[in-house]
Amino acid sequence: MDFDYQWLLLALPAAFFFGWVASRLDLRQLKRDDAASPQAYFKGLNLLLNEQQDKAIDAFIEAVQHDPQAADLHFALGNLFRRRGEYERAIRVHQHLLARGDLQREARERAQHALAQDFMKAGLFDRAEEAFKALEGTAFATDARLALLSLYERSRNWHPAIDVARQLESGGTGSFSQRMAHHWCEIAQEADARGRDEEAQQALDRAREAAPQAARPLVMQGQRLLRQQRHAGAMQVWDELMALQPAAFSLVAKDYAQCAQILGQVQEARTRLAALYERAPSVAVLSAMNSLQDDPAQRRQAIMTHIAQQPSLSAAQDLIRERLLTHVPLDEPEIERLQQALATAAKPLQRYRCAACGFESQHHFWQCPGCHGWDTYPPRRLEEH
């Protein structure tokens, strides 16, 4: 049977026509989808800028439905869920992204980082730890280590925290020596609580190695020696603290003075405390110094000098205590210094605070200058609450 080429001549135009019609229908559908997706996306952005998060989420969900392959839309939606505290929904969005086989490497790493943040915010620390560890060797490695450090500190997992801090320091992120010293001190504190003296001492030694200038290891070392009745050793450690961190010495000034009295080193300790007070004056150092002073007149004069320079309630309290101990009435200059200290301490409390926004002022307002609310200022100052 011979093939009739006439049918071929008729079929070719027909096939071309139907193909053209089908392509036009596909193009129209594609254009409609493309138009719907950006419109929903920009609508979501506009709502987000206007702080209408609920409506923005609905718009982004609509945009994702129109274009389920758009990773940026998923990221925007997931971040919105996290900001609203809807961590389970944020986790599902980012897990859906990670499950896609066509996701590029950069987007995959970004999704992994977002998922780790979701777990962290949701309090799922075990899963957050695994997710952050999976970012090792990626562009988010440093951010992941910093997050891991925070996670370990919150869960009081000090040894892993030290390891991560070392990695950050060796990676050039910055110095973490002070932070590692605190970690070792926390380990020492826990060991002391369990009665593991040797472990506690080793941890304090490591803390001092990590940060030789840090105050906390010296404070804790002296306190351990004091508990062991090793007063001379405690004073020696705190003498080092006095030289390295004079401001932190006020934390142990009272104990230092007591050790000096026990050891019969009152004069030497008072001399060192006086020199320290000149460098870093504080009420704690002043009280310790006065506890080693037998002359009531000199004690009162030291308190008067301090109040003149740094008025405070604690110094005023010391002055009143001296009056009660010695039964010597306060003279006029002392009363003036006492009034000065009380006025300085009371000033921050002699303010009115708006009940609506917390705006504080020395004057009462019927309309708050901060939130412009009416009758939001209670008629009583803070000190009266």
mmCIF file of all heavy atoms in Angstrom, residues 247-267:
data_model
loop_
_atom_site.group_PDB
_atom_site.id
_atom_site.type_symbol
_atom_site.label_atom_id
_atom_site.label_comp_id
_atom_site.label_asym_id
_atom_site.label_seq_id
_atom_site.Cartn_x
_atom_site.Cartn_y
_atom_site.Cartn_z
ATOM 1 N N ALA A 247 39.874 46.731 92.352
ATOM 2 C CA ALA A 247 38.436 46.966 92.473
ATOM 3 C C ALA A 247 37.713 45.724 92.985
ATOM 4 O O ALA A 247 36.716 45.825 93.707
ATOM 5 C CB ALA A 247 37.855 47.395 91.125
ATOM 6 N N ALA A 248 38.208 44.529 92.617
ATOM 7 C CA ALA A 248 37.556 43.282 93.036
ATOM 8 C C ALA A 248 37.891 42.913 94.474
ATOM 9 O O ALA A 248 37.235 42.041 95.056
ATOM 10 C CB ALA A 248 37.961 42.142 92.102
ATOM 11 N N PHE A 249 38.888 43.561 95.073
ATOM 12 C CA PHE A 249 39.287 43.206 96.429
ATOM 13 C C PHE A 249 38.184 43.489 97.440
ATOM 14 O O PHE A 249 38.123 42.843 98.495
ATOM 15 C CB PHE A 249 40.553 43.971 96.831
ATOM 16 C CG PHE A 249 41.082 43.593 98.183
ATOM 17 C CD1 PHE A 249 41.902 42.487 98.331
ATOM 18 C CD2 PHE A 249 40.746 44.328 99.309
ATOM 19 C CE1 PHE A 249 42.385 42.120 99.587
ATOM 20 C CE2 PHE A 249 41.221 43.974 100.568
ATOM 21 C CZ PHE A 249 42.038 42.862 100.699
ATOM 22 N N SER A 250 37.289 44.406 97.122
ATOM 23 C CA SER A 250 36.204 44.727 98.060
ATOM 24 C C SER A 250 35.345 43.510 98.363
ATOM 25 O O SER A 250 34.683 43.450 99.407
ATOM 26 C CB SER A 250 35.334 45.852 97.498
ATOM 27 O OG SER A 250 34.756 45.469 96.256
ATOM 28 N N LEU A 251 35.364 42.498 97.473
ATOM 29 C CA LEU A 251 34.578 41.288 97.691
ATOM 30 C C LEU A 251 35.085 40.477 98.881
ATOM 31 O O LEU A 251 34.331 39.702 99.467
ATOM 32 C CB LEU A 251 34.597 40.413 96.423
ATOM 33 C CG LEU A 251 33.971 41.023 95.171
ATOM 34 C CD1 LEU A 251 34.245 40.134 93.958
ATOM 35 C CD2 LEU A 251 32.472 41.224 95.356
ATOM 36 N N VAL A 252 36.369 40.645 99.227
ATOM 37 C CA VAL A 252 36.969 39.842 100.301
ATOM 38 C C VAL A 252 37.593 40.724 101.378
ATOM 39 O O VAL A 252 38.304 40.217 102.257
ATOM 40 C CB VAL A 252 38.034 38.874 99.737
ATOM 41 C CG1 VAL A 252 37.390 37.863 98.800
ATOM 42 C CG2 VAL A 252 39.148 39.632 99.019
ATOM 43 N N ALA A 253 37.344 42.019 101.338
ATOM 44 C CA ALA A 253 37.999 42.934 102.279
ATOM 45 C C ALA A 253 37.692 42.584 103.727
ATOM 46 O O ALA A 253 38.582 42.596 104.588
ATOM 47 C CB ALA A 253 37.570 44.372 101.973
ATOM 48 N N LYS A 254 36.448 42.255 104.023
ATOM 49 C CA LYS A 254 36.063 41.922 105.396
ATOM 50 C C LYS A 254 36.793 40.666 105.876
ATOM 51 O O LYS A 254 37.323 40.626 106.999
ATOM 52 C CB LYS A 254 34.558 41.727 105.470
ATOM 53 C CG LYS A 254 34.035 41.385 106.852
ATOM 54 C CD LYS A 254 32.521 41.215 106.834
ATOM 55 C CE LYS A 254 31.985 40.840 108.211
ATOM 56 N NZ LYS A 254 30.506 40.660 108.183
ATOM 57 N N ASP A 255 36.840 39.634 105.026
ATOM 58 C CA ASP A 255 37.544 38.398 105.393
ATOM 59 C C ASP A 255 39.035 38.639 105.559
ATOM 60 O O ASP A 255 39.683 38.039 106.427
ATOM 61 C CB ASP A 255 37.306 37.328 104.326
ATOM 62 C CG ASP A 255 35.861 36.853 104.293
ATOM 63 O OD1 ASP A 255 35.196 36.924 105.341
ATOM 64 O OD2 ASP A 255 35.408 36.410 103.222
ATOM 65 N N TYR A 256 39.577 39.515 104.743
ATOM 66 C CA TYR A 256 41.004 39.838 104.831
ATOM 67 C C TYR A 256 41.325 40.455 106.197
ATOM 68 O O TYR A 256 42.322 40.086 106.842
ATOM 69 C CB TYR A 256 41.368 40.811 103.707
ATOM 70 C CG TYR A 256 42.835 41.157 103.608
ATOM 71 C CD1 TYR A 256 43.708 40.358 102.874
ATOM 72 C CD2 TYR A 256 43.349 42.295 104.231
ATOM 73 C CE1 TYR A 256 45.057 40.681 102.772
ATOM 74 C CE2 TYR A 256 44.684 42.624 104.133
ATOM 75 C CZ TYR A 256 45.535 41.807 103.403
ATOM 76 O OH TYR A 256 46.870 42.121 103.308
ATOM 77 N N ALA A 257 40.481 41.374 106.626
ATOM 78 C CA ALA A 257 40.697 42.012 107.928
ATOM 79 C C ALA A 257 40.583 41.001 109.064
ATOM 80 O O ALA A 257 41.358 41.042 110.037
ATOM 81 C CB ALA A 257 39.698 43.151 108.113
ATOM 82 N N GLN A 258 39.634 40.077 108.965
ATOM 83 C CA GLN A 258 39.489 39.056 110.001
ATOM 84 C C GLN A 258 40.711 38.143 110.064
ATOM 85 O O GLN A 258 41.161 37.774 111.148
ATOM 86 C CB GLN A 258 38.226 38.234 109.732
ATOM 87 C CG GLN A 258 36.929 39.009 109.966
ATOM 88 C CD GLN A 258 35.696 38.200 109.618
ATOM 89 O OE1 GLN A 258 35.787 37.123 109.027
ATOM 90 N NE2 GLN A 258 34.524 38.734 109.976
ATOM 91 N N CYS A 259 41.259 37.788 108.905
ATOM 92 C CA CYS A 259 42.477 36.970 108.875
ATOM 93 C C CYS A 259 43.635 37.708 109.540
ATOM 94 O O CYS A 259 44.429 37.113 110.293
ATOM 95 C CB CYS A 259 42.850 36.617 107.438
ATOM 96 S SG CYS A 259 41.781 35.396 106.663
ATOM 97 N N ALA A 260 43.737 39.005 109.274
ATOM 98 C CA ALA A 260 44.814 39.802 109.861
ATOM 99 C C ALA A 260 44.699 39.838 111.384
ATOM 100 O O ALA A 260 45.710 39.754 112.099
ATOM 101 C CB ALA A 260 44.777 41.212 109.290
ATOM 102 N N GLN A 261 43.471 39.951 111.890
ATOM 103 C CA GLN A 261 43.271 39.951 113.351
ATOM 104 C C GLN A 261 43.654 38.603 113.954
ATOM 105 O O GLN A 261 44.287 38.542 115.013
ATOM 106 C CB GLN A 261 41.815 40.284 113.669
ATOM 107 C CG GLN A 261 41.443 41.738 113.394
ATOM 108 C CD GLN A 261 39.970 42.011 113.590
ATOM 109 O OE1 GLN A 261 39.137 41.142 113.344
ATOM 110 N NE2 GLN A 261 39.633 43.224 114.027
ATOM 111 N N ILE A 262 43.310 37.528 113.300
ATOM 112 C CA ILE A 262 43.640 36.185 113.796
ATOM 113 C C ILE A 262 45.150 35.975 113.820
ATOM 114 O O ILE A 262 45.702 35.383 114.764
ATOM 115 C CB ILE A 262 42.948 35.111 112.935
ATOM 116 C CG1 ILE A 262 41.433 35.168 113.139
ATOM 117 C CG2 ILE A 262 43.476 33.708 113.271
ATOM 118 C CD1 ILE A 262 40.651 34.297 112.181
ATOM 119 N N LEU A 263 45.840 36.478 112.796
ATOM 120 C CA LEU A 263 47.291 36.278 112.675
ATOM 121 C C LEU A 263 48.094 37.333 113.424
ATOM 122 O O LEU A 263 49.331 37.255 113.460
ATOM 123 C CB LEU A 263 47.694 36.285 111.193
ATOM 124 C CG LEU A 263 47.141 35.133 110.345
ATOM 125 C CD1 LEU A 263 47.451 35.371 108.869
ATOM 126 C CD2 LEU A 263 47.722 33.804 110.801
ATOM 127 N N GLY A 264 47.402 38.327 114.002
ATOM 128 C CA GLY A 264 48.122 39.389 114.694
ATOM 129 C C GLY A 264 48.883 40.308 113.768
ATOM 130 O O GLY A 264 49.936 40.843 114.131
ATOM 131 N N GLN A 265 48.354 40.513 112.563
ATOM 132 C CA GLN A 265 49.007 41.371 111.569
ATOM 133 C C GLN A 265 48.144 42.603 111.284
ATOM 134 O O GLN A 265 47.991 43.028 110.147
ATOM 135 C CB GLN A 265 49.250 40.586 110.284
ATOM 136 C CG GLN A 265 50.164 39.391 110.450
ATOM 137 C CD GLN A 265 50.376 38.637 109.143
ATOM 138 O OE1 GLN A 265 49.989 39.091 108.070
ATOM 139 N NE2 GLN A 265 51.003 37.470 109.227
ATOM 140 N N VAL A 266 47.607 43.170 112.352
ATOM 141 C CA VAL A 266 46.663 44.277 112.208
ATOM 142 C C VAL A 266 47.313 45.491 111.562
ATOM 143 O O VAL A 266 46.782 46.081 110.619
ATOM 144 C CB VAL A 266 46.062 44.641 113.580
ATOM 145 C CG1 VAL A 266 45.227 45.922 113.475
ATOM 146 C CG2 VAL A 266 45.206 43.493 114.105
ATOM 147 N N GLN A 267 48.459 45.903 112.065
ATOM 148 C CA GLN A 267 49.103 47.118 111.567
ATOM 149 C C GLN A 267 49.495 46.975 110.100
ATOM 150 O O GLN A 267 49.263 47.871 109.283
ATOM 151 C CB GLN A 267 50.345 47.439 112.413
ATOM 152 C CG GLN A 267 51.030 48.748 112.035
ATOM 153 C CD GLN A 267 50.104 49.945 112.159
ATOM 154 O OE1 GLN A 267 49.377 50.084 113.147
ATOM 155 N NE2 GLN A 267 50.124 50.831 111.150
#
